[in-house]
Amino acid sequence: RMDLGRLGTRLLKLSMPAEDRPERTAVLGAAAAALREDIGCPLPADDGASHRQTIKLAHAELGDGAFAALWTEGQTMDLDQAVEYARSFANPDLADER
């Protein structure tokens, strides 16, 4: 059985090192937040400060409009879509298509 709380944390961590890809940070950060909310699993306390800072940096780099659009995109993803989106960055051929 899949541990959805752990998966939400993994999606979140995939978004965190993406300072050079603020779009990815916004989309995966939102997808992880939505997943965690859906299953009632809050962000672990030790991840909270780092996560908020990463999201804040992505927001500042993207600007309000772009960040809001990307955040909405991530929030509307189902689990399979979020995983596929994250995987696209592991495969350079797929990432170039984004």
Side-chain angles (χ1 to χ4, degrees):
R1 179 169 159 86
M2 183 187 317
D3 179 346
L4 293 178
R6 187 191 243 161
L7 181 58
T9 299
R10 286 184 180 166
L11 284 172
L12 170 67
K13 288 184 180 191
L14 281 172
S15 71
M16 291 181 77
E19 289 87 9
D20 61 328
R21 300 291 300 253
E23 300 86 0
R24 183 178 119 184
T25 297
V27 172
L28 288 176
L35 175 62
R36 296 185 77 74
E37 185 176 324
D38 286 349
I39 63 173
C41 184
L43 185 66
D46 57 339
D47 288 335
S50 178
H51 170 69
R52 283 188 296 277
Q53 181 63 23
T54 300
I55 296 298
K56 185 177 177 179
L57 291 171
H59 189 165
E61 187 168 336
L62 292 167
D64 291 338
F67 181 84
L70 291 163
W71 190 264
T72 298
E73 179 183 345
Q75 291 261 296
T76 60
M77 286 182 172
D78 64 25
L79 177 59
D80 290 335
Q81 291 169 321
V83 169
E84 184 60 32
Y85 182 88
R87 284 183 178 162
S88 74
F89 291 95
N91 181 337
D93 293 331
L94 294 175
D96 289 342
E97 294 175 12
R98 293 221 41 90

